[in-house]
Amino acid sequence: QVQLVDSGGGLVQPGGSLRLSCAASGSIFNIYAMGWYRQAPGKQRELVATITSGSSTNYSDSVKGRFTISRDNAKNLVYLQMNSLKPEDTAVYYCNARISRWAGGYVSDYWGQGTQVTVSS
């Protein structure tokens, strides 16, 4: 089994910062891309940022320049540093990882349980 546990959400004022963390554990052979997605009430889940095992990053236009994704491959961790937060960043944030569980095995998507981020004064 594989488990992703994300954390670090909360209530923050506009202009503030939060750091999300996600830890992958279990029967893992290799983790390929990791990323963060978010879903606001009444909207579809959308990509926020992704990072490859070689640390190449990709960001949605709405967060570029404000959010930074990073990972610790040795510890199977991925982070999302969120600065200059805006009310429109309010959403449930989900960690994602593409993982193979054994050598030569197929790659599957795994998701964290989600962590709520609320930006409000």
Side-chain angles (χ1 to χ4, degrees), residues 21 59 62:
S21 301
Y59 296 92
S62 62

Side-chain angles (χ1 to χ4, degrees), residues 1 3 10 66 69 72 86 89 98-99 110-111:
Q1 283 188 334
Q3 188 175 23
R66 300 186 297 122
I69 189 170
D72 183 333
K86 305 175 181 180
D89 294 318
R98 308 213 74 212
I99 294 172
Y110 293 87
W111 294 89

Side-chain angles (χ1 to χ4, degrees), residues 4 6 20 22 32-39 45-53 55-71 77-83 89 91-98 109-111:
L4 266 61
D6 41 35
L20 306 183
C22 174
Y32 299 90
M34 303 184 81
W36 291 93
Y37 292 71
R38 67 186 181 186
Q39 187 167 19
R45 190 174 297 189
E46 64 175 2
L47 180 145
V48 175
T50 60
I51 184 167
T52 67
S53 57
S55 295
S56 295
T57 59
N58 180 54
Y59 296 92
S60 69
D61 288 342
S62 62
V63 307
K64 205 170 292 184
R66 300 186 297 122
F67 292 9
T68 302
I69 189 170
S70 60
R71 64 189 283 176
L77 295 168
V78 63
Y79 304 100
L80 185 69
Q81 177 66 43
M82 305 185 294
N83 298 329
D89 294 318
V92 178
Y93 284 69
Y94 296 91
C95 170
N96 168 267
R98 308 213 74 212
D109 277 307
Y110 293 87
W111 294 89

Side-chain angles (χ1 to χ4, degrees), residues 95-117:
C95 170
N96 168 267
R98 308 213 74 212
I99 294 172
S100 62
R101 295 180 58 194
W102 55 85
Y106 54 85
V107 179
S108 297
D109 277 307
Y110 293 87
W111 294 89
Q113 80 283 3
T115 184
Q116 176 71 47
V117 172

